[in-house]
Amino acid sequence: MDEKKQLFEQLKSIKDYWVKTSLESLDENADLIWSDYEEEYKKLQHLFENDEEKEAYERVLDELITGTIHSILVMIDGGDDLADKYTVDLVVEKNNKTLKTNGALNEKFYDYLLDVDD
């Protein structure tokens, strides 16, 4: 399997896990032991009471996490101020090849999400 696709699958899986975990935490019976912000979740539980409100929260959270992943990939691609100091790379261990070939990872990640979400 293509290593880039494996990376994107894992990133999407992480994103989906945390969106789901946060959304499930809006249930008043949720076990919030995992969170450092139990009181904040309890406040949100009373704000998001119907499915439409929870779906809006889910979409916003999904967008924020996707944007965060995109920004991290921009950094790895060398597209931010960090590139002035040093570069970051993702290298396939078995063949020592960079994943930063054939286009920017941040753009390819969005392409991947568009393909799998359609």
Side-chain angles (χ1 to χ4, degrees):
M1 178 185 268
D2 178 274
E3 289 89 357
K4 232 181 257 193
K5 184 176 179 188
Q6 287 178 324
L7 171 67
F8 297 154
E9 285 176 352
Q10 185 66 19
L11 290 172
K12 182 182 181 312
S13 176
I14 291 166
K15 173 187 68 74
D16 292 347
Y17 171 82
W18 284 107
V19 169
K20 181 180 178 217
T21 297
S22 185
L23 192 61
E24 289 173 349
S25 296
L26 296 178
D27 183 298
E28 65 182 38
N29 297 318
D31 181 2
L32 299 172
I33 193 82
W34 68 272
S35 177
D36 291 336
Y37 298 100
E38 290 184 45
E39 291 305 313
E40 287 80 353
Y41 268 105
K42 289 179 193 240
K43 289 177 185 176
L44 291 175
Q45 289 170 355
H46 299 290
L47 290 177
F48 302 118
E49 294 181 341
N50 64 50
D51 288 342
E52 184 180 348
E53 292 168 342
K54 288 179 182 177
E55 287 173 16
Y57 172 76
E58 179 180 20
R59 287 191 302 272
V60 168
L61 191 57
D62 189 88
E63 178 183 55
L64 288 172
I65 295 173
T66 299
T68 300
I69 292 170
H70 178 265
S71 295
I72 292 168
L73 292 173
V74 167
M75 177 193 69
I76 292 169
D77 286 331
D80 69 358
D81 294 340
L82 186 65
D84 293 339
K85 297 177 182 152
Y86 57 90
T87 58
V88 177
D89 203 352
L90 294 174
V91 177
V92 179
E93 190 171 5
K94 67 182 175 190
N95 61 20
N96 221 21
K97 291 185 180 180
T98 181
L99 289 182
K100 296 185 337 182
T101 57
N102 301 323
L105 291 172
N106 67 85
E107 293 170 7
K108 296 286 185 185
F109 179 63
Y110 272 139
D111 292 344
Y112 170 79
L113 291 178
L114 289 172
D115 285 346
V116 298
D117 287 341
D118 285 344

